[in-house]
Amino acid sequence: MSWYLTLPLMTPFVVAVLAFLLRKNGVGRWVAVVGSLIGVGLSALLFMQILRDGVVVGQMADWPAPYGITLAADLLSGIMVMLTALAGLATTLYATSEIDPELEDLGFFAVLQLLLGGVTGAFLTGDLFNLYVWFEVLLISSFGLLIMGGTREQIDGAVKYVTLNLVSTIMFLIGLGFLYGATGTLNMADLRGAVDASEQQGLITVLSMFFLLAFGMKAAMFPLFAWLPASYHTPTSTVSAIFAGLLSKVGVYSLFRTFTLIFDNDVGYTHTILLWVAGLTMVAGILGALAQTDVRRVLSYQIISSIGFLLMGLALYTPLAIAGAVFYLIHNIIVKVNLFLVAGVAERLTGSSQMSRMGGLYKTAPLFSVLFLIPAFALAGFPPLPGFWAKVLLVKAALDVNAWVMAAIALSVGLLTIWSMMIVWTRVFWDPHPDGLEPTLSDLGDDKWPLLLPIIALGAMTILIGIFPQNFVVLSEQVAAQLLDPQPYVDAVLGAAK
Amino acid sequence: METLLAITIGCLVAAGVYLMLARDMLRFLFGLTLISNAVNLAIFASGRITVGGVPPLVPEGEKYPVGDVANALPQALILTAIVIGFGLFAFSLVLAMRAYSELGTLDTDAMLLAESNDEGDKA
C-alpha cells in the first residue's frame, strides 16, 4: 500500500476530528490551519511521486484489483489533489477571521476538513462505486457548510442545492448499477477493457448518458445548473469560495475521467453532445452573469461559463484541446477561490453584496482594488495572465478541427466576461459609495492579515502561472497524453494485481 | 422473477417521478425515496436472482461457490447505498422542516428569497 496515496486522504479526516474536539476557545481553527498546511506538503509529495513513477497505485488491504478498493493517482489526480489542498489552506486561513465563534462551536472547521477529505477521495479513487461514496461524503459536508448560520436565504438556497444534488446522486447510482450488470466490474481501469469487450455497445452508450447527467449536474452544465446560482451566494464567503473552486470541478474531473477512460468508444455521439452542451453552458452562464446585481451571484454565473470552457476542451477531444482544458482547470480553481475571497472582503468593507449598495473602494483602498483586478483579468483572459494562455490553447484547438462556431462562441464569451467584470469593477470599486462611506483596509482591524494573506498568495500564484506558462502548458500536455492513452494507467492498476 | 421485479421497479419509478413533479418539497422527497428504492432493486437484480438457489458459500476443498448462486457484491453495494440514502433523506427531512418554519411554505415555487434580483430588497 502506498502511503503517498493514503496520507493526503487520511489527513483531513484526522484533522477534522482534532479540530472538532478542540473547537472551544479557538484552538480548533489553528489545528485546521496547521492540518491544511500538512495537507499541502503531503499532496506535493504525492505529486512528486507521480512525476517520478507515472501512475501511483495503492490497493487497500492488498486485495488485488479489480476485486479490492483501488486508489490510483495519475497526473490529473495529482494536480487536483494539490489544488484541493491549496484551496483548502487558503480558505481555512481566511475562515479564521470570517467565521464567528458561534459557527466554530458547531464545528465549522471540522466540516470544512471533511469536505476537503471527500474531494480528495473523489480525485484519488480508482473505483466507480468508491467515487459514489466520496461524492456522498463531500455532498453531506457541503450541505452542512451551506446551511451553517441558518439564515432564511441559506435555507432557501439549500433546498434547491440539496434536492437537485440528490437527483444527480440517484442518476449516478442507476448508471452504476446497470454498468455493473452489463460488464461485471466497477474498477475504472478494468471497466475500460470490459466496455471495449462488451457486445452491447448501444447499451453502454445509453449508460454513459446516465453518467453524463449525473456528473453534468454536479458540474453545473447546461441545462442542469439552476441549483448553483440559487445557492452559492448564500453561505459565508469562505464556503462560497471553496464551493466555487472545488465542487463543480469534481463533476468536471469525473467527466474527464469517465469520458476518456471508459466511455470513449462512441466519441462521435457522446462528445458531440458534450460539445453542444459546452457551448450552451458558456453562453447561458455569461448571460446570467450580466443580468445579476449581487456581486457573488455575478461570480456564481461566471463559474458556469468557465465550466463550459472546460467541457469544450473535453468535447473537442484532441490532445491540444484537453491540454487547454487542464490548463484552464488549474488556473480557474485558483482564480475562482480568490475572486470569492475578494468579494467577501469587499462585502465586509462596504457592508453589502448588492452592487448598488457598494462602491468607493478604488479611492480608499487602491491596493485592494489591484488584488481584485489580478483574478478578474485572469478570468477575463488578459495577457499575460493565465486565463489568456488557456483560452489561446482552447481556441487554437477548436480552429484546428474546424470548429469555427465553438471558437467564435469561446471568443465572444471571453469578451462578455470582460464586460461583466467591468460592471463589477465600476460599481464596486470605481463609483462612490451610495452612503458616502469611505471604507479603508484598516477597518478590518486585527482580521486584516488572515483575510488578505490568502488573497495575496493566490494572486501571486496567478501571476506566476501567467508569466511562466511554459511549465504548466508542458504539464497539461502530459496530462492530456495520459488521458488520451490510458493504457499505462490501466496497466499500473491491473498490473499490480499480478 | 426478473419480470416481476422489473414491473415493481417500473411502478416505483413511475410513482416517484409523479411525486417529484409536484411543487411541494415533501412530496418531492417522498418521490426521491421511492426512486432510490427502485434503483436499489435494480442493482439487486443485476446480481442475478436465484429461485431455490444456494447461498454463495465456498465448499471445503473448492476455490469458488458451486451451484446456482447469486453475486453477493451488488447486495453489498445496495447496503452501502441504503445507509447513505437514509442519511441524506434524514438530512433533507430536517431541511424541509426548517424551511417550513423559516419560510412558512414548502411550495418550491414560492421559495424565491435567495434568487430575488430586487436591489432594494436586501440591503
Side-chain angles (χ1 to χ4, degrees):
Chain A
M1 188 196 307
S2 166
W3 289 106
Y4 291 105
L5 280 168
T6 37
L7 279 181
L9 186 55
M10 274 154 49
T11 313
F13 294 102
V14 175
V15 175
V17 173
L18 289 178
F20 187 75
L21 292 176
L22 298 170
R23 65 189 186 280
K24 303 282 177 202
N25 310 322
V27 184
R29 57 170 75 175
W30 297 112
V31 172
V33 171
V34 172
S36 310
L37 203 61
I38 296 173
V40 172
L42 289 171
S43 60
L45 277 181
L46 171 65
F47 187 64
M48 268 146 54
Q49 184 72 12
I50 293 169
L51 282 181
R52 202 161 52 226
D53 291 0
V55 182
V56 180
V57 178
Q59 313 289 354
M60 293 303 98
D62 279 340
W63 279 86
Y67 305 109
I69 291 175
T70 304
L71 293 183
D74 62 355
L75 273 175
L76 181 62
S77 311
I79 292 172
M80 296 307 285
V81 169
M82 198 142 95
L83 288 170
T84 305
L86 283 171
L89 178 63
T91 43
T92 309
L93 190 61
Y94 187 92
T96 54
S97 333
E98 199 207 4
I99 301 307
D100 26 331
E102 229 173 287
L103 291 189
E104 209 177 335
D105 276 355
L106 288 171
F108 180 90
F109 287 92
V111 184
L112 184 59
Q113 290 293 322
L114 287 181
L115 177 78
L116 294 176
V119 173
T120 311
F123 291 145
L124 285 180
T125 182
D127 183 285
L128 266 185
F129 192 79
N130 211 226
L131 182 66
Y132 165 78
V133 175
W134 288 119
F135 262 87
E136 301 311 313
V137 172
L138 72 90
L139 207 57
I140 198 85
S141 5
S142 73
F143 291 169
L145 289 175
L146 190 63
I147 55 157
M148 253 187 217
T151 64
R152 295 176 64 204
E153 256 186 50
Q154 276 178 302
I155 301 286
D156 186 290
V159 168
K160 290 141 197 170
Y161 180 89
V162 170
T163 47
L164 289 176
N165 270 295
L166 288 181
V167 173
S168 106
T169 299
I170 294 214
M171 285 285 175
F172 190 5
L173 198 58
I174 299 176
L176 269 180
F178 287 145
L179 193 63
Y180 184 79
T183 62
T185 180
L186 285 174
N187 182 299
M188 290 197 237
D190 199 32
L191 266 173
R192 181 175 175 80
V195 162
D196 280 344
S198 170
E199 287 160 11
Q200 305 161 295
Q201 288 302 325
L203 176 68
I204 298 285
T205 308
V206 172
L207 291 181
S208 74
M209 289 300 111
F210 277 111
F211 289 89
L212 181 67
L213 276 176
F215 297 146
M217 208 180 253
K218 304 262 185 225
M221 75 181 195
F222 181 88
L224 310 168
F225 59 76
W227 55 273
L228 191 150
S231 59
Y232 270 25
H233 63 292
T234 56
T236 53
S237 299
T238 312
V239 175
S240 291
I242 198 81
F243 279 18
L246 294 178
L247 286 199
S248 39
K249 308 306 189 285
V250 180
V252 173
Y253 166 86
S254 310
L255 282 173
F256 268 74
R257 183 62 76 211
T258 47
F259 280 84
T260 56
L261 185 61
I262 304 171
F263 303 117
D264 64 340
N265 289 353
D266 196 0
V267 174
Y269 180 75
T270 49
H271 289 60
T272 307
I273 294 182
L274 269 173
L275 195 63
W276 277 95
V277 164
L280 289 167
T281 309
M282 281 193 261
V283 174
I286 200 63
L287 290 182
L290 288 171
Q292 297 307 315
T293 56
D294 180 305
V295 68
R296 278 209 259 167
R297 293 200 78 198
V298 175
L299 297 177
S300 300
Y301 271 104
Q302 284 175 355
I303 301 174
I304 298 168
S305 77
S306 1
I307 297 295
F309 279 98
L310 296 168
L311 293 181
M312 170 183 161
L314 175 62
L316 291 171
Y317 208 58
T318 63
L320 186 66
I322 296 209
V326 171
F327 190 101
Y328 196 96
L329 188 62
I330 297 173
H331 109 273
N332 197 252
I333 291 179
I334 298 172
V335 162
K336 267 269 107 86
V337 171
N338 201 0
L339 276 171
F340 273 89
L341 296 183
V342 171
V345 174
E347 193 179 331
R348 188 143 156 180
L349 287 173
T350 57
S352 173
S353 67
Q354 282 292 327
M355 288 199 283
S356 61
R357 312 285 313 154
M358 301 170 90
L361 284 172
Y362 179 66
K363 192 175 163 200
T364 51
L367 284 176
F368 175 64
S369 314
V370 173
L371 289 177
F372 167 75
L373 281 184
I374 295 168
F377 280 181
L379 191 78
F382 277 38
L385 292 162
F388 170 73
W389 304 114
K391 281 180 191 169
V392 167
L393 292 177
L394 281 171
V395 171
K396 170 96 174 31
L399 293 178
D400 281 351
V401 294
N402 296 329
W404 307 105
V405 180
M406 278 316 280
I409 292 178
L411 288 174
S412 10
V413 168
L415 203 64
L416 290 173
T417 311
I418 298 175
W419 185 18
S420 122
M421 277 303 181
M422 237 165 63
I423 294 176
V424 175
W425 169 256
T426 319
R427 300 191 67 184
V428 176
F429 291 87
W430 200 260
D431 286 350
H433 195 281
D435 301 337
L437 280 182
E438 295 202 337
T440 61
L441 281 184
S442 51
D443 293 349
L444 294 172
D446 292 343
D447 292 341
K448 193 170 158 189
W449 288 114
L451 288 175
L452 291 182
L453 208 61
I455 296 177
I456 295 170
L458 292 173
M461 276 163 64
T462 313
I463 293 179
L464 273 181
I465 299 177
I467 296 178
F468 303 106
Q470 189 54 35
N471 299 332
F472 292 90
V473 172
V474 171
L475 184 66
S476 309
E477 278 169 348
Q478 286 171 349
V479 174
Q482 263 190 356
L483 286 178
L484 288 174
D485 176 25
Q487 202 51 48
Y489 177 90
V490 175
D491 290 343
V493 173
L494 297 182
K498 284 167 195 155
Chain B
M1 189 66 189
E2 262 95 349
T3 324
L4 191 63
L5 210 54
I7 294 171
T8 317
I9 293 169
C11 290
L12 281 174
V13 171
V17 169
Y18 176 76
L19 281 172
M20 281 167 77
L21 290 175
R23 275 184 302 228
D24 187 280
M25 191 186 162
L26 216 50
R27 277 173 165 248
F28 177 92
L29 289 178
F30 289 148
L32 205 68
T33 320
L34 282 187
I35 288 195
S36 64
N37 284 331
V39 173
N40 288 340
L41 281 178
I43 300 178
F44 180 59
S46 79
R48 199 180 316 126
I49 310 291
T50 53
V51 182
V54 289
L57 298 175
V58 185
E60 222 174 312
E62 295 281 342
K63 286 264 164 75
Y64 41 81
V66 285
D68 193 12
V69 296
N71 187 343
L73 185 75
Q75 298 170 15
L77 299 184
I78 296 168
L79 274 182
T80 318
I82 289 175
V83 173
I84 292 175
F86 174 77
L88 292 178
F89 188 59
F91 178 89
S92 323
L93 277 182
V94 174
L95 182 70
M97 213 172 80
R98 198 56 205 275
Y100 187 69
S101 65
E102 291 277 334
L103 308 168
T105 177
L106 278 178
D107 183 353
T108 41
D109 264 6
M111 291 186 193
L112 288 170
L113 196 63
E115 286 177 278
S116 99
N117 217 359
D118 190 357
E119 297 209 21
D121 224 18
K122 7 165 218 178

